[in-house]
Every structure is written in structure tokens, then in C-alpha cells.
Amino acid sequence: MNILTFDIEEWYIEKAFHGARKEKFEIFDRYLAQILDILDERGLNATFFCLGKMASDYPDIIKKIAGKGHEIACHSDKHVWLNKMSYKEVDEDTHIAIDSLEQLLGNKIKGYRAPAFSIGESNKWAFEIFHKYGIEYDASIFPAARDFGGFPSFGHNRPVLVSYQGIEIKEFPICMTKLFGKEIAYSGGGYFRLYPLWYVSKTIKNSDYVMTYFHIGDLLPGNKKVMSRKDYETYFKEKGTIFNRYKRFVKSNLGRNNAFEKMSELISQTKMINIDQAIHQIQWEKTDKVFL
């Protein structure tokens, strides 16, 4: 089971943090069109996790994706890490985001992915909020340690049922593999850019569950600049030390120049489905249950 997903946020991030440069919007539009064409050619349906602000500020982008038959799910409203917000703030953000997407599309939003997979032991109460607003499945768990926290105690890197305070939600965590005895991600973001395609392809072929996740911003050639302290602290909600900013600069630029071509080749050679299709293939009554 190879699941194909994209996180759609770039237009809003450009507007909110980088001055709404026309040339950037044109690049995002062009790359999105190429992605949709590739999926059309392969006859593939993907899940696109979209910001609520994308629905309110850039509705044509969301309609274009949905019009091609792809599943639209929620990626928060303003792309603020959930572990940087209070219960009340996450509740409000989730409500606004889901309502914006549903009002635009006229159908129920069933899925959610937290920005930067920012659900962990300290804010597992987020599942209660998702259930409150009708979310049926989540794809936010990174079951290992990472810069933004991760959830190493989760203990599963394949689909499970999450039980929290009497509610249940289907969970599609990020898949992991072992390299030199350490659990690592490989199927999206900077991890995908870091490893050669032959390694990613081989790992996928040897796995019975794969969750990919791609961002248009990660697939564009050319280097991003080092963020200013102000921009870093506004966006990441943490101290913008020189070390933190240069660490983010290195991770953001690693392997960017051939990332789009690598992703395109992977899609062309791999059978993939979206999360909605995966849900109907899984025997949930036989699936492990994780009590949080």
C-alpha cells in the first residue's frame, strides 16, 4: 500500500511572510499544474492536505485540485505548529480551517495533517478536537524524534486506530525504515531529498505500507535564503539564534535541485493510491489500537 499525499500551503506562506511576490505565485502555479498533469497521465488520485487559508484566500487553487478528482483534506488554517498552540487555539484554528474548506467545496472534510507533524505526547488532546469537528482520519504522527518533537513513544509506523478519551480516529503515521540501526523517515520532505532515488525506490518495494508527503516548496530548484531572526521567530515560534537559522537553511536546501525530477520518476514507476482509497482496503477490525 503506497499512499501519495501533498501538503498545499505555499501561496499563503508567500503572502504572509515573503511579500506576495508575483513571480513566486507563477512558479507555484506552474509546478502544481505539472504535478496534476503527471497524476492525470498515471491515472493516480492523491490526497492534498490544504490550509484553510488556501480555501479562503486562494480558492481557485483548491478548486483546481478537487476538480481533477483528488481528495482534499485539512492541513490546519494558518500552518502554525500545533505544539506551539494551546487547546483553545488549536480548537479555533481547526474549526476555521475545516469550515473554510467545506464551505468552498460543498462536501465533508474527513482528514487532517498537522503542520510539521506537530502532534506528540504533550498535545495528544488534539485528537479530541479533530473528532469534535468530524475528522475521521489523521496523518500527523511522526513516530520518532525530530526537530519539531515527533512522537517516538507512539510505537507504530503503519495504520492503526487511535483511542483517546473514548473517541477513535484512524491514524496513518509516517512510515519509517532502519538505517544503521536507527529509525529514519525517507518518503517525503527533506528526508526524500537527502536519499538517492534508488534507495527510496528499493525501500518502498520492500515495504507493505508507505506514506509519501511532498511540498511544492521543497521541490523547487535553487537555494532558499537564511531567514532573518524576526521571520524565523514569527514562523517557527522559537528563538532565532544563528545556529537555529543556519540549521534550517541547510535542511531546507539539501537536495533541492533535482527533487522535482526525482519525485516525478518515483510516481511514474510506483503504483500509488490516496488515503480515502487506502481506508477502504484496510480491515480495520483487525488493526492494532493505540490507547493514548
Side-chain angles (χ1 to χ4, degrees):
M1 177 180 292
N2 305 319
I3 302 175
L4 180 61
T5 73
F6 295 87
D7 295 352
I8 301 298
E9 64 215 33
E10 282 75 15
W11 291 258
Y12 168 71
I13 299 299
E14 172 62 32
K15 176 184 176 181
F17 296 97
H18 304 301
R21 295 163 293 181
K22 180 181 178 182
E23 64 272 19
K24 285 294 184 179
F25 292 140
E26 291 173 347
I27 292 172
F28 300 151
D29 290 343
R30 185 168 71 251
Y31 273 78
L32 175 61
Q34 290 180 51
I35 289 170
L36 295 176
D37 285 346
I38 292 169
L39 298 182
D40 272 352
E41 291 167 7
R42 290 280 289 123
L44 299 176
N45 289 319
T47 297
F48 286 77
F49 290 94
C50 304
L51 298 184
K53 291 296 288 184
M54 287 295 301
S56 59
D57 294 7
Y58 303 96
D60 289 347
I61 300 297
I62 307 302
K63 287 182 177 179
K64 183 176 183 179
I65 297 169
K68 291 287 187 177
H70 301 293
E71 179 186 17
I72 302 295
C74 183
H75 192 38
S76 81
D77 190 47
K78 297 180 181 178
H79 207 264
V80 177
W81 292 192
L82 268 58
N83 54 12
K84 304 290 185 180
M85 293 194 285
S86 67
Y87 187 106
K88 182 178 179 181
E89 289 170 332
V90 173
D91 186 292
E92 181 179 7
D93 183 272
T94 304
H95 181 208
I96 293 171
I98 291 174
D99 184 64
S100 296
L101 290 164
E102 289 183 343
Q103 290 292 334
L104 176 66
L105 298 172
N107 58 258
K108 188 176 185 297
I109 296 298
K110 300 179 180 180
Y112 187 97
R113 172 175 286 157
F117 308 103
S118 51
I119 294 178
E121 190 67 45
S122 67
N123 64 342
K124 56 191 178 183
W125 40 255
F127 286 105
E128 187 174 66
I129 295 172
F130 300 160
H131 181 265
K132 174 181 177 181
Y133 293 111
I135 292 299
E136 298 176 11
Y137 75 80
D138 175 70
S140 302
I141 300 299
F142 191 97
R146 67 193 305 261
D147 279 357
F148 301 114
F151 203 157
S153 64
F154 189 76
H156 294 75
N157 61 9
R158 56 183 303 108
V160 294
L161 287 170
V162 165
S163 178
Y164 178 78
Q165 302 284 47
I167 61 100
E168 285 188 358
I169 287 181
K170 300 176 179 70
E171 177 62 38
F172 288 85
I174 293 305
C175 55
M176 312 294 286
T177 190
K178 280 195 174 182
L179 185 64
F180 304 120
K182 184 179 180 180
E183 292 282 339
I184 61 163
Y186 63 93
S187 59
Y191 303 99
F192 175 77
R193 300 196 313 270
L194 173 63
Y195 303 116
L197 180 59
W198 68 263
Y199 177 78
V200 175
S201 298
K202 179 182 178 182
T203 306
I204 288 176
K205 288 177 181 178
N206 293 331
S207 304
D208 58 8
Y209 166 70
V210 176
M211 171 62 73
T212 66
Y213 58 101
F214 298 108
H215 301 75
I216 290 176
D218 284 340
L219 301 171
L220 305 181
N223 287 339
K224 294 183 178 180
K225 296 180 179 180
V226 177
M227 296 178 75
S228 69
R229 178 187 289 270
K230 179 181 178 181
D231 285 347
Y232 184 96
E233 293 181 348
T234 300
Y235 188 71
F236 290 107
K237 308 297 183 184
E238 64 180 23
K239 289 186 177 180
T241 64
I242 292 176
F243 175 79
N244 283 344
R245 286 185 285 138
Y246 269 89
K247 181 174 69 171
R248 179 52 42 193
F249 169 77
V250 171
K251 290 187 175 183
S252 296
N253 289 305
L254 201 63
R256 288 172 58 86
N257 286 334
N258 69 337
F260 186 85
E261 289 73 19
K262 188 161 71 170
M263 181 209 69
S264 300
E265 188 171 346
L266 179 69
I267 292 175
S268 71
Q269 66 186 26
T270 309
K271 182 179 180 181
M272 294 183 172
I273 58 177
N274 66 19
I275 296 182
D276 184 63
Q277 292 168 321
I279 285 174
H280 291 89
Q281 293 184 17
I282 295 172
Q283 294 180 290
W284 292 100
E285 68 278 5
K286 298 180 180 179
T287 301
D288 289 342
K289 186 177 293 188
V290 178
F291 293 89
L292 299 179

